[in-house]
Amino acid sequence: MDSSDQRRKRKRSLKPTHHFFSLRSLLYFFSFFAFFFILFRRNTPSFHHLVVLPGSSTSSSIHRLFSGELTRFKIDDRVLFPDHILILLSGIGIGSWNLVGNGKGLECIYRNNYTEEEEEKGVAVLSVDEYNDIQWLVRCPLRPTNFSSVVTLRSRGAITVADTTVVAMNSWENLAYEAVLDGNTAVVFVKGISHRQDKASDPNRFRCHFGFGNQNYILASKALTAAQEVVRCALPKSLEIHPEKSQGIRATVSFQLPMRNHHHRTIFVPSVAKLSSSKFEKNTPKHDLCVCTMLWNQADSIREWITYHSWLGVQKWFIYDNNSDDGIESVINKLDLEGFNVSRHVWPWIKTQEAGFSHCAIKAKNECNWVSFMDVDEFYYFPNLPGHGALRTLVSNYTSSPSIGELRTRCHSFGPSGLRSPPKNGVTVGYTCRLQRPERHKSIVRPEVLDTTLMNVVHHFHLREGFSFLDVGQNTAVINHYKYQVWEVFRAKFYRRVATYVADWKDSQNEGSRDRAPGLGTEPIEPADWRLRFCEVWDTGLRDVVLANLDNVLSRGRYLGGIDI
């Protein structure tokens, strides 16, 4: 054998042997094992900055804490909004959530960092809400002057609160705030990554991340779609195999920030978003028609709206409550007990109506064939067929359509109709004068045929390829939009509007838009002739229907499924 053959043999013998487990396989195996080890142990609490009961020693309180005598909570996150601070609070161990109650036993604590002596200031919480199965929301006022913006909580009762946050305060302008499972994907709602309305972004700009705690992201996946504030992510394989273990896992997205010399820096969006899934009973027939709305302080209006549309055939209601403080929760609970099938979903995120509707579309997909997205001051009216179940009958005609995924209905805008105070018998009876020409439209959609981006603008969604919308003729149905009510009611619109891409009434932007009141300006000052405005056509059609069919029921506020009870 010559020397060249010997050299070739030696080279072959020096090549690395490919074993069954490559280095990459071993790394994947150990990462997979580590993830599930943490997953099954993540409920073990750690306590930092423990807030104990006033008047008791730290040692005795800690003893009582671990002996189960106290209800235990921890601060997960804080979010700074323009007018309040939101604290996300979760429970640890045993104890009753009822001890939190309406927040009367909790104080928001601020510390003065500008004096030599440590000074604390306690202020009553603004409100407390049950957020999901694992968290509560506590709303605190903005910090007093010269006090730190990092607010903590103190209890007057048998509650302890631990602060486990890594980030002292999250800015609302840049935040992943919700995350929900949708099939074998996760949908993450993110503020601050896109300001483009009705435009999709390149999903390759983003990566999705999942993990525990505030910054401990273990798993990553690619973004499938990105539009407005919604990013759809592929589920990591471990979560896809065990989706039931994903509850409460924190999710966020990252993007590449261009730097000099063609370098990039990876930016992780801060996150308070924890994965949840829609709860529904499998093998249960879907409702023909559901309604989703987002509202603020509509306790006085919601009963008339739900009662009337239940008569038209609506079977289930998703109410996204955007920081109401008028007692609407008790109204919704009472309606649900009366059989109207109403659920309240706490949605604390300001100016995110489009994202909230996308979230609702995911929740409703497994329960509803059709979902109407409309406001509490909008009422369907059937001029020629004003019968019981008319709206449900209309949508049912298209449930099996191979091409129709959305029904659009024109809106007529009603004015104050000469009134100076809210009508005692409800808006459908009290407001009878409107503008002549219809404005805009509202939609009822089939959630299963929505585009995967879930993109929506002004209450209508983008549909999957192959599906289109159908305009409902005005002889069949219209929507009475009681948009310009008496000033006492209308001026509440100046507080804040819920839509993301619509300017608030106080902002000097798009003052000529149809989204605003023509000629009103930006200040909540009542024009002298307000009660006479927006009145071109007297229209008593819906009033006559209500008086003929529902007057006795609405006046008593009790109507159920076509049966007077």
Side-chain angles (χ1 to χ4, degrees):
M1 183 180 295
D2 59 23
S3 59
S4 62
D5 290 338
Q6 291 176 341
R7 283 195 298 271
R8 280 195 295 270
K9 282 190 174 183
R10 283 197 299 270
K11 285 183 179 179
R12 283 197 296 268
S13 65
L14 292 173
K15 289 183 179 179
T17 303
H18 293 278
H19 297 288
F20 180 75
F21 286 107
S22 66
L23 179 60
R24 178 177 295 180
S25 299
L26 288 172
L27 287 174
Y28 178 81
F29 173 79
F30 284 115
S31 297
F32 187 86
F33 176 80
F35 175 78
F36 277 99
F37 178 78
I38 298 173
L39 185 67
F40 286 104
R41 293 181 58 86
R42 75 178 192 270
N43 290 327
T44 303
S46 60
F47 295 89
H48 306 279
H49 310 297
L50 191 64
V51 181
V52 298
L53 299 178
S56 62
S57 68
T58 302
S59 59
S60 62
S61 294
I62 292 177
H63 172 75
R64 293 172 62 198
L65 174 68
F66 286 99
S67 65
E69 295 180 29
L70 301 179
T71 301
R72 295 164 288 176
F73 299 96
K74 65 184 178 74
I75 295 175
D76 292 331
D77 295 285
R78 302 176 183 85
V79 181
L80 178 62
F81 287 108
D83 57 358
H84 70 279
I85 296 171
L86 182 71
I87 296 178
L88 288 89
L89 196 67
S90 63
I92 312 172
I94 64 174
S96 171
W97 287 106
N98 294 329
L99 289 176
V100 175
N102 57 12
K104 291 182 179 179
L106 289 175
E107 282 186 320
C108 304
I109 303 299
Y110 309 83
R111 290 184 172 85
N112 192 336
N113 296 333
Y114 302 96
T115 59
E116 293 183 2
E117 296 182 3
E118 185 173 330
E119 179 185 359
E120 290 186 350
K121 185 177 181 65
V123 180
V125 301
L126 298 175
S127 62
V128 174
D129 257 318
E130 187 174 0
Y131 183 40
N132 49 42
D133 291 339
I134 58 175
Q135 287 181 304
W136 280 70
L137 302 178
V138 179
R139 298 178 182 90
C140 289
L142 296 177
R143 67 179 179 88
T145 304
N146 295 331
F147 280 78
S148 170
S149 61
V150 180
V151 59
T152 58
L153 296 173
R154 181 167 62 200
S155 168
R156 299 172 185 168
I159 304 174
T160 62
V161 181
D163 186 355
T164 62
T165 57
V166 174
V167 179
M169 184 72 71
N170 291 287
S171 169
W172 172 234
E173 301 302 320
N174 181 40
L175 189 68
Y177 56 92
E178 285 277 354
V180 61
L181 293 178
D182 185 19
N184 61 350
T185 67
V187 179
V188 184
F189 298 82
V190 189
K191 196 80 171 175
I193 60 171
S194 175
H195 299 285
R196 302 194 304 171
Q197 181 185 20
D198 205 22
K199 298 289 184 181
S201 301
D202 181 4
N204 294 318
R205 294 176 50 214
F206 306 101
R207 289 280 289 170
C208 305
H209 304 271
F210 306 87
F212 311 101
N214 291 70
Q215 299 176 342
N216 187 18
Y217 297 110
I218 300 175
L219 301 177
S221 67
K222 66 178 182 179
L224 303 175
T225 64
Q228 298 179 169
E229 295 186 357
V230 181
V231 179
R232 185 180 292 275
C233 306
L235 269 185
K237 184 61 66 175
S238 53
L239 295 182
E240 187 177 350
I241 295 173
H242 295 282
E244 72 281 358
K245 298 299 181 182
S246 65
Q247 298 294 315
I249 290 178
R250 196 177 295 260
T252 192
V253 301
S254 67
F255 58 92
Q256 296 294 313
L257 184 67
M259 306 291 286
R260 293 181 179 179
N261 301 324
H262 304 288
H263 293 294
H264 291 81
R265 179 185 174 191
T266 301
I267 304 296
F268 282 78
V269 178
S271 176
V272 300
K274 295 185 177 182
L275 281 173
S276 63
S277 60
S278 300
K279 294 182 178 180
F280 65 98
E281 295 183 9
K282 294 182 179 180
N283 303 320
T284 300
K286 290 185 178 182
H287 301 294
D288 290 321
L289 178 60
C290 305
V291 166
C292 179
T293 194
M294 185 176 292
L295 52 74
W296 172 75
N297 282 2
Q298 294 292 330
D300 293 336
S301 307
I302 193 170
R303 176 174 284 278
E304 178 187 9
W305 183 67
I306 286 180
T307 300
Y308 172 72
H309 285 98
S310 293
W311 182 71
L312 287 182
V314 175
Q315 298 163 292
K316 184 175 178 63
W317 304 83
F318 299 90
I319 309 299
Y320 277 58
D321 186 355
N322 194 211
N323 299 314
S324 296
D325 57 7
D326 63 345
I328 194 171
E329 181 179 7
S330 61
V331 177
I332 291 174
N333 289 340
K334 187 175 181 181
L335 285 165
D336 190 53
L337 289 173
E338 292 173 11
F340 285 99
N341 198 9
V342 188
S343 59
R344 173 177 176 258
H345 304 269
V346 176
W347 188 261
W349 319 114
I350 63 174
K351 290 189 73 65
T352 55
Q353 185 181 54
E354 294 86 348
F357 282 175
S358 297
H359 189 276
C360 187
I362 295 172
K363 292 181 69 69
K365 182 169 60 175
N366 294 316
E367 299 185 58
C368 312
N369 288 324
W370 291 88
V371 182
S372 174
F373 291 87
M374 60 177 177
D375 297 330
V376 179
D377 58 357
E378 295 167 343
F379 289 72
Y380 273 85
Y381 168 50
F382 290 79
N384 298 313
L385 188 65
H388 173 254
L391 187 57
R392 181 180 175 185
T393 299
L394 172 66
V395 301
S396 296
N397 291 333
Y398 300 96
T399 299
S400 301
S401 170
S403 59
I404 302 300
E406 176 186 11
L407 301 179
R408 295 183 177 181
T409 307
R410 290 287 180 180
C411 301
H412 281 139
S413 296
F414 281 70
S417 306
L419 301 180
R420 298 182 184 274
S421 58
K424 295 181 179 180
N425 294 323
V427 297
T428 55
V429 174
Y431 297 118
T432 54
C433 198
R434 61 171 173 84
L435 297 176
Q436 183 172 1
R437 298 184 63 181
E439 293 183 326
R440 295 195 179 278
H441 64 265
K442 293 299 170 72
S443 297
I444 308 177
V445 302
R446 292 166 62 185
E448 63 181 14
V449 303
L450 298 182
D451 187 78
T452 55
T453 62
L454 299 175
M455 189 156 45
N456 63 92
V457 181
V458 195
H459 298 227
H460 71 264
F461 282 79
H462 287 221
L463 303 175
R464 286 202 327 246
E465 186 176 352
F467 289 88
S468 61
F469 65 86
L470 174 71
D471 279 321
V472 177
Q474 294 185 50
N475 290 330
T476 300
V478 295
I479 291 177
N480 282 11
H481 185 186
Y482 300 104
K483 181 177 181 179
Y484 309 109
Q485 299 187 32
V486 296
W487 187 258
E488 176 185 334
V489 175
F490 183 83
R491 67 183 176 188
K493 293 179 181 288
F494 280 88
Y495 172 66
R496 183 189 295 125
R497 306 187 73 185
V498 295
T500 307
Y501 303 98
V502 176
D504 286 340
W505 293 77
K506 292 181 180 180
D507 297 337
S508 56
Q509 301 176 26
N510 304 323
E511 292 188 46
S513 169
R514 286 183 294 176
D515 290 317
R516 308 181 73 117
L520 187 59
T522 59
E523 297 297 327
I525 301 173
E526 180 180 4
D529 62 342
W530 177 258
R531 68 187 184 90
L532 303 176
R533 290 191 179 190
F534 317 107
C535 182
E536 296 174 348
V537 177
W538 290 96
D539 183 347
T540 62
L542 183 52
R543 184 196 69 172
D544 296 340
V545 170
V546 169
L547 292 177
N549 296 277
L550 295 166
D551 178 50
N552 186 44
V553 173
L554 286 175
S555 63
R556 290 186 290 132
R558 303 183 68 197
Y559 185 84
L560 178 61
I563 302 174
D564 194 1
I565 61 174

